[in-house]
Amino acid sequence: MSTSKMRHSVDSSDIALFGQLDMVYNQLRFVEAEQNNTQFACKSSGRCCKIGLRVHMFECANIAYNIRQQYYLIMEDKGKETADKYMNATVDRLVDAMFDKDWTDDGKTTRFCAFYDNGCTVYGYRPMVCRAFGTVTHVDDYCPRERNEHGHIDYYSGSPIEEAIKSFQGLMQRYAASKDSGDNYDMVIYMPLGVLSFLLPDEQLGELYQKTDSKFWMSAEGWFNYRVHFTKLYGYDKEVLAQAAKDAGHDIVFDDVEDETLVEIER
């Protein structure tokens, strides 16, 4: 079995897109900072981090790139041995997440995110879905934030948020367009696997495939199939996404806002 189509890399054009992605993140950072000055501020409980996310490969690439950058910064500051320990510990947590028996493809699990260790270890480059939660979307019952008189939190919305989310979708689209369509870059995937595909060599990815449940290797193909709460609220409507899928020669795999059909990744 070959995993050659699962092994990914970052090139210079990707890095330019990562910079633009960070500018979009800045818009959410500003909003989050404003909200944290209100009664509805995040309490940093970590309860929302008990999840196993599926995100687009674009953000997996950005996370992997920043992990490697952190590796070299640690090497420069504290030496290669310390940097290797950091990288090995990071990879070990991601691999361990590939053996989560409780995980379901809607993200539910009894475990914390692979990047959570008494706080988010990738906070500066965490995915958009993490930034959006409680900032531009409602929160779930487990969130300990204060509520208003209606039992909800106040969160930000409006045209600036719509512009930011559509810019985010546009970057996913540009990332996908820059890649060969057969190389598994344009897909929504279990985040630990997506990041590992940039960090592990082919042989180790093959071993991981042999040892892990096929549920982790299921994906939704196409940036237009990244349907989570913040994209449903502020992103392109379903008609636009359906046309984008048609233009790309693919299908929209969600029948409605709650239902998605996944396919196994081609390796």
Side-chain angles (χ1 to χ4, degrees):
M1 189 276 299
S2 171
T3 55
S4 59
K5 290 188 177 182
M6 195 57 219
R7 178 68 176 91
H8 297 110
S9 60
V10 171
D11 61 33
S12 58
S13 63
D14 297 336
I15 297 171
L17 289 177
F18 297 159
Q20 294 177 55
L21 175 63
D22 200 57
M23 294 298 290
V24 175
Y25 286 166
N26 279 345
Q27 297 177 62
L28 272 291
R29 289 176 178 129
F30 175 81
V31 172
E32 184 176 13
E34 289 290 302
Q35 189 188 46
N36 282 338
N37 286 323
T38 74
Q39 71 184 83
F40 306 107
C42 174
K43 295 185 179 296
S44 301
S45 69
R47 294 180 187 177
C48 60
C49 299
K50 190 169 284 188
I51 192 169
L53 294 173
R54 284 196 295 121
V55 300
H56 190 269
M57 190 62 76
F58 177 46
E59 288 194 289
C60 293
N62 182 57
I63 292 169
Y65 171 75
N66 278 282
I67 287 172
R68 286 204 179 277
Q69 289 298 100
Q70 186 65 24
Y71 170 80
Y72 288 114
L73 290 171
I74 293 172
M75 183 188 298
E76 180 183 40
D77 183 37
K78 298 182 178 179
K80 187 174 184 302
E81 183 177 351
T82 302
D84 286 344
K85 287 181 180 179
Y86 158 77
M87 181 61 78
N88 291 338
T90 300
V91 169
D92 286 348
R93 288 196 302 270
L94 290 167
V95 169
D96 186 60
M98 295 292 295
F99 293 88
D100 183 357
K101 294 180 180 179
D102 296 328
W103 182 80
T104 57
D105 62 21
D106 60 358
K108 293 180 181 178
T109 181
T110 58
R111 294 188 181 193
F112 282 103
C113 171
F115 291 120
Y116 186 86
D117 185 12
N118 293 317
C120 181
T121 60
V122 294
Y123 190 80
Y125 40 95
R126 68 196 187 281
M128 180 67 89
V129 64
C130 303
R131 301 170 187 278
F133 182 79
T135 304
V136 299
T137 72
H138 63 69
V139 295
D140 297 312
D141 291 341
Y142 56 73
C143 180
R145 297 183 195 225
E146 291 187 30
R147 303 301 203 267
N148 58 29
E149 64 272 21
H150 304 293
H152 304 294
I153 68 165
D154 290 355
Y155 59 83
Y156 289 78
S157 61
S159 57
I161 305 302
E162 291 181 11
E163 290 173 8
I165 301 310
K166 288 178 180 176
S167 293
F168 169 73
Q169 290 178 305
L171 288 172
M172 287 193 294
Q173 184 178 21
R174 288 171 58 191
Y175 177 78
S178 71
K179 304 297 182 183
D180 189 304
S181 60
D183 286 343
N184 286 332
Y185 282 92
D186 186 18
M187 60 183 178
V188 181
I189 189 173
Y190 182 50
M191 183 172 67
L193 176 58
V195 176
L196 284 170
S197 74
F198 290 91
L199 300 178
L200 293 182
D202 290 338
E203 182 179 353
Q204 291 184 38
L205 284 171
E207 292 173 356
L208 191 63
Y209 173 72
Q210 295 293 340
K211 295 177 180 179
T212 54
D213 195 306
S214 62
K215 67 182 181 180
F216 299 112
W217 298 80
M218 306 300 286
S219 71
E221 191 163 10
W223 66 271
F224 34 78
N225 280 314
Y226 187 38
R227 290 280 284 173
V228 288
H229 193 54
F230 74 90
T231 61
K232 295 170 189 174
L233 282 176
Y234 307 109
Y236 292 115
D237 61 35
K238 190 172 180 179
E239 288 70 26
V240 173
L241 298 176
Q243 185 60 53
K246 182 179 179 181
D247 292 344
H250 296 300
D251 297 318
I252 291 291
V253 300
F254 48 86
D255 294 326
D256 54 45
V257 295
E258 299 297 337
D259 182 39
E260 291 187 10
T261 303
L262 305 179
V263 296
E264 189 167 3
I265 299 167
E266 180 184 359
R267 290 173 302 281

